[in-house]
Amino acid sequence: MEEKKHNKSLLEDISMDEAQVSSLVEKYDAESRYRRLTGAQGIFISLWLAAMALFHLYTAGIATMPITIQRAVHLTFAIVAVFILFPASRKSSKMKTPWYDWLLAAAAGGVTGYIVFFFNDIARRGAEPIDYEIYLGIAAILLVLEAGRRVVGNVLPCMSVIFLLYCYFGNYAPGIFQIRGYSLSRIIQHMYLTPEGIFGLALGVSATFVIVFIIFGAYLSQSGGAKFFNELALALAGSKPGGPAKVAVVASGLLGTINGSSVANVATTGTFTIPLMKKVGYPPYYAGAVEACASTGGQLMPPIMGAGAFIMSEFLNIPYLSIAAAAIIPALIYYTAIFTNVHIRARKQKLQGIPKSELPSVGEVMRSDGHLLVPVIVVIVTLLLKYTPLRAGFIGVVSVIIVSSLKKNTRMTLRDNFNALVEGARGGLGVALACALVGFIVGTSSLTSLGLTISNNIIEISGGNLMLTLVMAMVACLVLGMGLPTTANYIVCSTIIAPALIGMKVLPLSAHLFVFYFGIMADLTPPVCLAAFTGAGIAGASPAKTGMTATRIALASYLLPYCFVYNPMLLLHNVEAVELVVLVISAVLGVVALAGSFEGWFYRDLKNYERVVFGVIALLSIHHDFWISIAAIVGIALMIVYFKKSSHDGQLPEKFEEVSA
């Protein structure tokens, strides 16, 4: 009981004001800039969002609907909610929805709802548009663009407009990009009346797998899951040297199973891990960078990765479980790299952890809230039993409701259940509109073969050199990530860039994970690194310095996608047991050595030439060749022994197994 009091006091002491955090997140995350409505308007939108969540739970676990109707209902719910909740500009009222937004909401619901009610008629005539459907289609395109602008920012709608204009004015495009151009009627038909544009595959994934898992995350969070993950991380790592930084790594990795947004993850865990890191001696910019790196990795961590992983499953037509299994080794290596960096920094600067008297014990946390792990285990087991992700998400929601009721401190009231439905639906609005907008880009590619043209030109520019093509693909993903949400970034890159990699004989799963990975890493990469900027805001540090530090901490992770492209065995493809073990050991030792090289410390301060040699061997360790990996393992082992013997105290840096755990 005394420990719990200490822990409560500690968390209250370092917590940021909720209003400050909301203001900070809104600055970098467009999806957080929604109105806080009260009164009749607040009641209406809450009921609307709850109805949206219930509809998706019903179609996930009880009765299915035709694919296009499901997508149209999903978008109708989402687009109406966006116009009611999201203001047209930052100067607009945050407390009340003006009459014109209600009018836009009604119009948007009408043009998307039209597909629901007249789907059979449209299908019977082969989606051949009637005269008035041209006007409905124009209205639908404009309203989706505006709703998307409000909830995901300006970049993706602008890109969508460019692609739509290309469909119409393509006959004026230069050289190889020139097409005959399509009539307005044909463009409207393709984008509005067929499942190739707005109501395409991307929106289909949002309308099924993604929204259900977002609702699952909302339920788990509402029952106390986020608090449980934070306290478990504190108990596990808080007392270790530099403990708060390790808490950030563990907590953010755990929270990533229920939160697919890097910025939201930073805001959720960073509000207590960043002040704790500063308290034990980490510089503010470093604290913000560590939290940004740890939070960004959440989308790479199975079993529940970001929305892009579900879309990848549909694009590649392979089970989601196969994608999650393929991602597990790179994700663990990613977190090993981050954990090692913060550990070596702590040992170098002799930073202490939090006194155990101020922390909860693992046993106490597990006795109090450990049952909240059960829903996550249930989801994993249902996926292993080959249930669809849609059904697994539904079962996960049901399991949260049942399991949370087992103890009074986590039992959800009717209001808690209602709030979970509302928050789950609201959390899905940004993904829904992003997927609808991306439908214009994917639709343009299917209508004009633009994606194939761009892919062929990437191959031609690179001269057939795979490494050059990979570097070009990486740069494109990082640049697009400056203005696109990670899900939209993945869809665009998988449509335009991944085919070029596949055309160069790269395994399709490796190609898609490559662009998925770098789309996520854009949140850490300057000059626009939203996760790092959010961490800097909480830490009170320079955004630029925090972003550069985050890039340095995660630098080893930028090399991982190249590894699994050249050696897909890291993705558990065509596994040879001995080679896989050597490859993993080599990669783990490589990121550990690279961290020591960058920090200039490993058991002791390293001389400049030692840092260079250590770094070079570390880079060799992630080479795809078996014997080079063996040589790198031997080289790193010899250098570790040398550093240990030449250190003043000859002691391990807080048990080496903790570094490579």
Side-chain angles (χ1 to χ4, degrees):
M1 180 65 69
E2 188 67 25
E3 287 181 349
K4 183 176 285 189
K5 288 180 180 178
H6 278 304
N7 179 47
K8 182 178 179 182
S9 174
L10 174 67
L11 293 179
E12 287 178 349
D13 181 54
I14 53 84
S15 294
M16 288 184 66
D17 180 75
E18 186 175 345
Q20 289 180 309
V21 176
S22 297
S23 175
L24 180 65
V25 175
E26 287 179 18
K27 182 178 179 181
Y28 299 112
D29 184 14
E31 293 181 40
S32 300
R33 299 170 194 153
Y34 58 85
R35 296 179 173 111
R36 273 64 175 180
L37 301 178
T38 57
Q41 291 187 348
I43 293 172
F44 174 84
I45 193 59
S46 295
L47 292 172
W48 181 267
L49 291 171
M52 176 181 176
L54 288 171
F55 164 78
H56 287 295
L57 290 176
Y58 176 80
T59 55
I62 300 174
T64 59
M65 298 184 72
I67 294 173
T68 303
I69 294 180
Q70 172 85 11
R71 297 171 184 177
V73 173
H74 175 65
L75 185 57
T76 300
F77 270 118
I79 199 168
V80 169
V82 166
F83 278 115
I84 294 172
L85 279 175
F86 288 82
S89 70
R90 297 194 182 190
K91 296 180 180 179
S92 302
S93 172
K94 290 288 188 69
M95 305 305 295
K96 184 179 179 181
T97 303
W99 65 268
Y100 52 83
D101 276 347
W102 285 101
L103 188 61
L104 289 172
V111 295
T112 55
Y114 177 84
I115 303 297
V116 177
F117 292 106
F118 295 95
F119 170 73
N120 291 331
D121 180 57
I122 294 169
R124 272 195 300 269
R125 49 188 159 86
E128 190 67 31
I130 302 170
D131 288 345
Y132 68 84
E133 287 177 342
I134 301 297
Y135 300 104
L136 289 177
I138 293 172
I141 290 172
L142 293 175
L143 288 165
V144 167
L145 288 170
E146 170 58 14
R149 183 191 68 81
R150 294 187 183 200
V151 75
V152 299
N154 296 326
V155 176
L156 186 54
C158 288
M159 286 184 63
S160 299
V161 169
I162 292 171
F163 276 79
L164 288 170
L165 291 174
Y166 176 74
C167 292
Y168 191 78
F169 294 105
N171 56 316
Y172 296 107
I176 58 172
F177 293 103
Q178 189 174 79
I179 58 174
R180 64 182 177 87
Y182 291 88
S183 67
L184 182 61
S185 175
R186 182 71 179 90
I187 295 170
I188 295 299
Q189 178 193 30
H190 194 75
M191 298 297 177
Y192 178 57
L193 297 178
T194 74
E196 296 290 334
I198 296 173
F199 303 103
L201 180 60
L203 185 65
V205 177
S206 173
T208 50
F209 311 135
V210 174
I211 186 65
V212 171
F213 273 95
I214 291 175
I215 295 169
F216 167 72
Y219 263 93
L220 193 56
S221 182
Q222 193 71 36
S223 68
K227 171 178 169 289
F228 164 65
F229 289 147
N230 287 337
E231 291 190 345
L232 181 61
L234 273 171
L236 288 170
S239 63
K240 307 296 181 183
K246 296 170 184 175
V247 170
V249 176
V250 176
S252 297
L254 291 172
L255 192 64
T257 63
I258 62 173
N259 191 327
S261 167
S262 303
V263 173
N265 203 347
V266 172
T268 303
T269 56
T271 51
F272 81 94
T273 59
I274 289 174
L276 279 176
M277 282 187 265
K278 292 168 64 178
K279 183 177 180 180
V280 299
Y282 284 106
Y285 69 88
Y286 192 87
V290 168
E291 180 57 49
C293 291
S295 294
T296 298
Q299 294 181 73
L300 304 170
M301 177 62 74
I304 304 168
M305 301 159 69
F310 293 105
I311 297 172
M312 190 187 307
S313 174
E314 294 297 301
F315 279 2
L316 295 175
N317 195 28
I318 61 176
Y320 173 78
L321 187 61
S322 299
I323 292 173
I328 187 66
I329 292 177
L332 291 176
I333 294 174
Y334 175 92
Y335 275 103
T336 299
I338 308 304
F339 193 92
T340 303
N341 268 279
V342 301
H343 178 79
I344 291 178
R345 170 63 71 99
R347 297 293 294 177
K348 178 183 180 180
Q349 297 186 345
K350 296 181 173 57
L351 303 179
Q352 300 302 311
I354 304 168
K356 286 189 175 182
S357 60
E358 297 183 20
L359 297 172
S361 67
V362 174
E364 178 190 1
V365 173
M366 292 302 295
R367 283 192 299 271
S368 175
D369 298 325
H371 58 294
L372 294 179
L373 280 175
V374 172
V376 177
I377 296 171
V378 166
V379 169
I380 297 172
V381 171
T382 51
L383 288 170
L384 290 173
L385 293 175
K386 300 190 183 303
Y387 283 80
T388 66
L390 187 62
R391 184 56 59 89
F394 173 79
I395 293 172
V397 172
V398 174
S399 69
V400 173
I401 296 172
I402 295 173
V403 169
S404 65
S405 67
L406 297 178
K407 290 194 174 183
K408 185 177 179 180
N409 61 308
T410 59
R411 189 170 300 140
M412 297 175 67
T413 63
L414 286 175
R415 178 176 289 276
D416 291 332
N417 279 273
F418 182 77
N419 288 340
L421 292 171
V422 172
E423 290 302 317
R426 183 159 55 205
L429 298 181
V431 176
L433 267 298
C435 288
L437 286 169
V438 166
F440 297 131
I441 298 171
V442 176
T444 298
S445 182
S446 64
L447 184 64
T448 66
S449 299
L450 178 63
L452 182 61
T453 301
I454 293 175
S455 296
N456 289 338
N457 276 273
I458 290 174
I459 295 173
E460 186 176 335
I461 292 171
S462 67
N465 183 292
L466 179 57
M467 177 57 72
L468 182 56
T469 305
L470 290 173
V471 171
M472 291 169 61
M474 176 189 72
V475 172
C477 293
L478 294 176
V479 171
L480 285 172
M482 293 180 188
L484 298 184
T486 52
T487 302
N489 190 351
Y490 164 69
I491 298 171
V492 173
C493 292
S494 65
T495 302
I496 297 174
I497 297 172
L501 302 181
I502 296 170
M504 299 189 72
K505 310 303 181 186
V506 173
L507 183 74
L509 179 57
S510 297
H512 279 255
L513 277 173
F514 185 93
V515 298
F516 176 68
Y517 197 107
F518 279 116
I520 291 171
M521 294 300 286
D523 281 349
L524 290 180
T525 309
V528 181
C529 38
L530 299 183
F533 287 175
T534 306
I538 296 174
S542 161
K545 191 171 185 179
T546 303
M548 293 301 297
T549 304
T551 302
R552 183 177 63 79
I553 291 173
L555 191 59
S557 305
Y558 284 79
L559 303 175
L560 272 176
Y562 292 89
C563 296
F564 60 65
V565 165
Y566 280 103
N567 197 332
M569 199 178 295
L570 269 178
L571 305 180
L572 303 181
H573 178 74
N574 291 338
V575 172
E576 295 289 340
V578 174
E579 288 189 30
L580 179 62
V581 169
V582 169
L583 191 63
V584 172
I585 292 174
S586 177
V588 169
L589 288 177
V591 297
V592 170
L594 203 57
S597 174
F598 282 138
E599 289 293 340
W601 191 94
F602 209 94
Y603 299 114
R604 61 172 174 78
D605 289 329
L606 303 183
K607 298 174 183 177
N608 288 336
Y609 76 88
E610 292 174 330
R611 295 177 67 175
V612 171
V613 173
F614 210 24
V616 169
I617 298 178
L619 292 175
L620 289 176
S621 72
I622 58 177
H623 197 277
H624 60 281
D625 183 83
F626 177 79
W627 292 109
I628 291 179
S629 296
I630 291 287
I633 291 173
V634 173
I636 292 174
L638 290 175
M639 293 204 73
I640 288 174
V641 171
Y642 168 70
F643 292 148
K644 179 183 176 183
K645 287 186 176 295
S646 60
S647 65
H648 294 299
D649 54 18
Q651 294 179 355
L652 287 170
E654 188 62 24
K655 297 184 180 180
F656 181 74
E657 60 266 23
E658 182 184 339
V659 173
S660 56

